Amino acid sequence: MYNFEYKNPVKILFGKGQISKLNNEISPDWKILIIYGGGSIFKNGVYAQVKKALEGYQVTEFGGIEPNPTYETCMKALDVVKKENIDFLLAVGGGSVLDGTKFIAAAALYENGDPWQILSAEEEVRVTRALPMGTVLTLPATGSEMNGNAVISRTSTQEKLSFGSPAVMPVFSILDPETVYSLPDRQVANGVVDAFVHVMEQYLTFPVNAPLQDRMAEGILLTLIEEGPKILKNRKDYNAAANFMWSATMALNGLIGQGVPQDWATHGIGHELTAFHGIDHARTLAIVLPGVMNVRRKVKEKKILQYGERIWGICEGTPDERIDKAIARTVEFFETMGTPTRLSYYGVTDSTISKIENRFALRNTLLGEQNDIDHRVTRAILADRL
Ligand code: NZQ
Ligand code: ZN
């Protein structure tokens, strides 16, 4: 196992009715900006619960953070933060609202020019200060509620870039599984697939004798495989919703990735498909992961065989046959959840592969746990998924 340092200060309030405790977590002296997305919180009663809990507080609101939150919209929110002298940001929504809020929190205290540099500067910008923020999560998927990462898109340049800093870890996150009840099928599927692939990015690499991390990762994968279809079938199954929600948080709160190699190539390539074609984040992962497993079958062999055996019970056949079966079961799971796994479904052709290949060549992008997935390997992975 590798050395590591791990600190996760995010306070979690989990369960039915926890939104009513919001006022215990926020000082009445603060000026709060509630940040939300396209309006789902008005339809499912989450907004009403938040407002009730914050009765008597000084609250301003900013809506309209879009899925795959954009720099352009976040900069409008930043104007409100400055104009209203906001002390605390409260994100109410899915991963996009949470990520947008993290960027706004960092941008509010950024003093070196255009905050886009936080995401794009060649020499990494270390974000050491940000406005404090809390979250009320309404979509289990990204783990953003318990980590310090954010992914922001820029419409004008068709880019989707990420940054990470302990400074943007939420002070608290409220996870009420009842918020899952109003999710459309597609977002349930997205959430399950995104969480599943987060685990795979930290698990499907090479062994470093870390059996506890492996078994925690496998526990999350098995739980998602069991609970995902249940919640898709019956949205009001509280226990399935709770298990889904906690699995998604555990998949990317940093814990299972400590002391082990991490991949993240599927995400790095997937972000480009969102940037060029607007495909939902999780849907890009369902396309790319099987390609990564296939093209990287030699370097990942030991872990793919372990995954096949422990998750899908695949014990028979040559290593290559077992790897083929493990990929097939993974694809089948994504498709059973209703998530397509081929580029052709979205009409994406070789010309997009060339664009991504050229962009990675220009940026000298190297992905994967061995840092050896360059633009050529990226082409092979995507060509595998046409
Ligand atoms: O905008 P509203 O009206 O709220 O509707 C949203 C949106 O249309 C809707 N929704 C959310 N909660 C709902 C609901 N509809 C009904 N009932 C509810 N309870 O769902 C739609 C999608 O929401 P979004 O927030 O975009 O989805 P998700 O949580 O999957 O977030 C995706 C974003 O997170 C990034 C992705 O790249 C993408 O931009 N990620 C962030 C990560 C992180 N911070 O660690 C890691 C991930 O790998 C990922 O990259
Ligand atoms: Zn993801």
Side-chain angles (χ1 to χ4, degrees):
M1 198 195 302
Y2 301 158
N3 291 1
F4 63 87
E5 292 182 14
Y6 180 60
K7 179 177 176 184
N8 193 319
V10 183
K11 177 175 177 180
I12 298 291
L13 290 88
F14 188 97
K16 249 180 229 188
Q18 296 283 39
I19 298 173
S20 64
K21 294 194 187 151
L22 248 181
N23 52 347
N24 295 341
E25 308 302 322
I26 303 179
S27 162
D29 301 331
W30 289 342
K31 291 184 83 178
I32 305 164
L33 181 65
I34 297 179
I35 300 177
Y36 59 91
S40 68
I41 63 165
F42 296 108
K43 292 186 206 130
N44 58 17
V46 171
Y47 175 80
Q49 291 182 61
V50 168
K51 287 296 283 216
K52 183 151 184 261
L54 293 179
E55 243 163 35
Y57 279 69
Q58 309 167 67
V59 173
T60 308
E61 295 172 17
F62 182 90
I65 302 283
E66 54 281 89
N68 307 310
T70 64
Y71 161 79
E72 287 87 349
T73 303
C74 291
M75 291 306 280
K76 287 185 194 149
L78 186 60
D79 288 342
V80 178
V81 169
K82 292 194 168 154
K83 199 166 136 239
E84 301 292 333
N85 270 320
I86 296 294
D87 302 301
F88 189 85
L89 305 179
L90 180 65
V92 185
S96 294
V97 172
L98 273 54
D99 282 12
T101 303
K102 288 176 179 177
F103 177 68
I104 297 159
L109 302 189
Y110 186 68
E111 287 171 342
N112 298 320
D114 184 351
W116 179 247
Q117 290 166 359
I118 295 171
L119 299 138
S120 68
E122 252 172 53
E123 197 137 308
E124 196 185 327
V125 172
R126 284 194 55 223
V127 174
T128 51
R129 294 182 329 132
L131 279 183
M133 61 175 278
T135 87
V136 176
L137 181 72
T138 64
L139 200 179
T142 61
S144 188
E145 64 279 8
M146 204 176 173
N147 69 37
N149 306 326
V151 195
I152 304 294
S153 298
R154 187 160 187 166
T155 314
S156 60
T157 54
Q158 286 193 305
E159 284 171 291
K160 184 172 185 186
L161 301 171
S162 61
F163 80 98
S165 163
V168 295
M169 289 180 99
V171 180
F172 65 84
S173 283
I174 299 184
L175 279 55
D176 180 344
E178 289 192 324
T179 57
V180 166
Y181 295 175
S182 60
L183 283 175
D185 285 358
R186 172 159 148 185
Q187 298 304 339
V188 171
N190 281 352
V192 170
V193 170
D194 194 19
F196 192 94
V197 179
H198 291 159
V199 176
M200 295 291 263
E201 300 273 29
Q202 301 165 84
Y203 166 76
L204 208 71
T205 55
F206 53 87
V208 291
N209 203 346
L212 177 61
Q213 287 89 326
D214 279 2
R215 291 198 173 97
M216 287 194 294
E218 288 154 3
I220 299 170
L221 294 177
L222 289 167
T223 308
L224 289 167
I225 291 166
E226 280 169 20
E227 305 294 316
K230 282 191 211 164
I231 194 71
L232 204 54
K233 199 163 152 217
N234 175 10
R235 202 69 85 251
K236 298 219 164 148
D237 180 340
Y238 179 81
N239 289 323
N243 291 321
F244 165 36
M245 199 166 221
W246 189 229
S247 296
T249 302
M250 287 297 292
L252 199 50
N253 65 3
L255 195 58
I256 63 170
Q258 297 306 317
V260 298
Q262 302 194 16
D263 182 341
W264 298 105
T266 298
H267 272 69
I269 299 169
H271 288 334
E272 297 302 318
L273 293 173
T274 302
F276 285 122
H277 291 278
I279 302 171
D280 293 358
H281 170 65
R283 292 177 150 221
T284 70
L285 308 178
I287 298 167
V288 179
L289 179 69
V292 169
M293 290 172 78
N294 193 21
V295 170
R296 306 280 289 164
R297 63 170 61 220
K298 275 281 158 275
V299 284
K300 289 183 182 291
E301 180 173 302
K302 288 201 175 98
K303 289 305 276 286
I304 303 182
L305 294 176
Q306 179 180 322
Y307 162 75
E309 185 175 335
R310 294 192 187 175
I311 303 300
W312 302 110
I314 301 164
C315 309
E316 306 280 314
T318 64
D320 265 330
E321 284 164 358
R322 286 158 63 191
I323 291 171
D324 286 341
K325 280 190 204 158
I327 297 171
R329 292 302 296 272
T330 309
V331 165
E332 191 189 331
F333 174 59
F334 293 161
E335 300 219 333
T336 311
M337 292 301 298
T339 313
T341 58
R342 290 268 170 203
L343 288 168
S344 52
Y345 178 86
Y346 302 96
V348 175
T349 62
D350 193 74
S351 80
T352 298
I353 300 182
S354 296
K355 278 202 246 174
I356 296 173
E357 189 185 3
N358 291 339
R359 190 175 249 189
F360 280 6
L362 273 175
R363 285 187 196 155
N364 285 319
T365 304
L366 289 173
L367 301 167
E369 65 271 19
Q370 321 263 16
N371 252 324
D372 58 354
I373 300 188
D374 63 6
H375 57 286
R376 291 181 207 92
V377 184
T378 298
R379 159 166 281 286
I381 289 167
L382 286 170
D384 187 62
R385 304 308 302 158
L386 277 169

